[in-house]
Amino acid sequence: MRIINYKDFLTGLLFSGFGAGFAVLAPGYSLGTAARMGAGSFPLVLGLCLLGVGLLVLGRSFFVPGEPITPGKLRPFACLIASILVFAALLQPLGLVLSIILLVMIGGYASPDFRTKEGLLLAVGLSIASALLFVVLLGLPMRLWPAI
C-alpha cells in the first residue's frame, strides 16, 4: 500500500503513539472496579480511545487523498512550546496567577493578529478563573502568588 495523505499518516502516528503510551503506562496505577474506578482507569480508557482514533486516521491516509505537507512557520510553534515550558518552569516560584498570565501572553504571540491589551484581559480572566476553580473549589494545594 502507498501513503496518499501524509498529513493523516503523521497525525495517525502521533495519536496512536500517545494513545499507546497512555494505555501502556495506565495499568501502573490502580485500575479499580467499574463501580469504584481507580487512578489508572481514565488514562487507560482515554489512551485506548486515542489509539483507536489514531489507527482510523492512519488507515484513512492510505485511501483518501490529501494536501501535501508544506513547511510551517517557526514562530507559532516556538511561541506555543515556549509558553508551555515557561509555565511549567515558573509555576512553583511565581505561583498560578503570574504563570498563567505569562502562558497566555507568550502563547498569544503565535498569532500575527495578537493584541496585547486583549491578551492581557484574557490572561487576567483565565488566572482568576483558574484560581477559583483549582484552589478555591477543588482545594488543590497550589500557591497563587510568589513566596515573599
Side-chain angles (χ1 to χ4, degrees), residues 132-142:
L132 288 174
L133 176 66
F134 295 116
V135 177
V136 176
L137 294 177
L138 294 176
L140 295 178
M142 294 179 143

Side-chain angles (χ1 to χ4, degrees), residues 2-8 60-68:
R2 202 174 82 106
I3 301 168
I4 58 175
N5 188 338
Y6 282 97
K7 285 184 179 180
D8 279 355
R60 181 176 188 249
S61 71
F62 294 103
F63 301 106
V64 179
E67 300 172 11

Side-chain angles (χ1 to χ4, degrees), residues 101-147:
I101 290 172
L102 287 172
L103 170 83
V104 172
M105 295 305 290
I106 295 169
Y109 286 109
S111 170
D113 300 328
F114 180 71
R115 294 187 181 104
T116 305
K117 184 178 177 181
E118 292 173 1
L120 197 54
L121 288 171
L122 175 65
V124 169
L126 286 174
S127 294
I128 293 169
S130 297
L132 288 174
L133 176 66
F134 295 116
V135 177
V136 176
L137 294 177
L138 294 176
L140 295 178
M142 294 179 143
R143 216 177 13 215
L144 291 176
W145 301 101

